[in-house]
Amino acid sequence: MNETRRDRDAEGRARNARPRDGLGRPLPYGAPGVERQPEGIVRTPAQTLTEAQRLLDAGMPFHAHEVFEDAWKSGPGDERELWRGLAQLAVGLTHSARGNTAGGARLLRRGAGALAPFAGSGPYGIEVAGLSDWARELAARVESGPTVDAAAEAPRLQG
């Protein structure tokens, strides 16, 4: 890679082509990494939840965050905060597993707050109250310093 030029995707947009590990951290060019989550995929809510749960269970919350981000950007306006909150929970878990305890705790709490308006409705079978409790409990735990195992801490999205 020429250090003076930016990586570009097929459409010419700037996009880092370095491989990434399971927590989304960039690896050196040429190193083996995990397959990147494609961006801009429009899925049904059920497909979004299934794919995100698969990635969370595999210890890949960064990649689950990208699935939620697609739903956040392509879904109906009245659901944007739901998907954004779920994306924040996933990236909060990512930061917590990477050892960024302050950032992880902050994002976990922010995600729980974004989900709060959906607590009564539980759209798509999402366990909003349980996820919010999980996020707040994990935030408090990671603030005390321990790095967490992303797969072991993966939440259940639906009941």
Side-chain angles (χ1 to χ4, degrees):
M1 156 89 194
N2 179 341
E3 295 298 322
T4 63
R5 294 180 31 182
R6 295 181 78 181
D7 295 339
R8 302 277 174 186
D9 66 12
E11 287 80 38
R13 293 184 303 255
R15 179 172 166 93
N16 192 316
R18 286 172 57 184
R20 296 195 177 255
D21 71 6
L23 291 173
R25 292 177 288 220
L27 299 170
Y29 286 102
V34 300
E35 187 174 334
R36 293 186 71 154
Q37 192 64 33
E39 293 181 28
I41 304 296
V42 177
R43 299 173 181 88
T44 66
Q47 291 169 328
T48 295
L49 292 166
T50 298
E51 180 64 4
Q53 188 68 68
R54 182 186 72 76
L55 292 164
L56 288 167
D57 291 345
M60 296 172 41
F62 176 82
H63 302 278
H65 151 266
E66 292 179 338
V67 171
F68 289 133
E69 192 172 272
D70 285 340
W72 158 24
K73 292 178 178 179
S74 68
D78 62 339
E79 293 181 1
R80 294 189 111 189
E81 284 301 301
L82 170 70
W83 301 112
R84 187 172 75 103
L86 292 169
Q88 288 171 330
L89 294 183
V91 81
L93 178 55
T94 300
H95 282 286
S96 298
R98 288 177 177 177
N100 176 1
T101 57
R106 186 172 33 257
L107 283 160
L108 288 163
R109 288 192 178 100
R110 190 178 300 157
L115 293 179
F118 300 94
S121 62
Y124 309 112
I126 298 170
E127 290 289 331
V128 174
L131 282 171
S132 296
D133 290 345
W134 166 84
R136 286 189 288 274
E137 185 274 328
L138 184 58
R141 204 162 17 103
V142 300
E143 282 178 323
S144 67
T147 299
V148 299
D149 179 302
E153 296 292 343
R156 298 301 316 152
L157 299 173
Q158 298 173 294

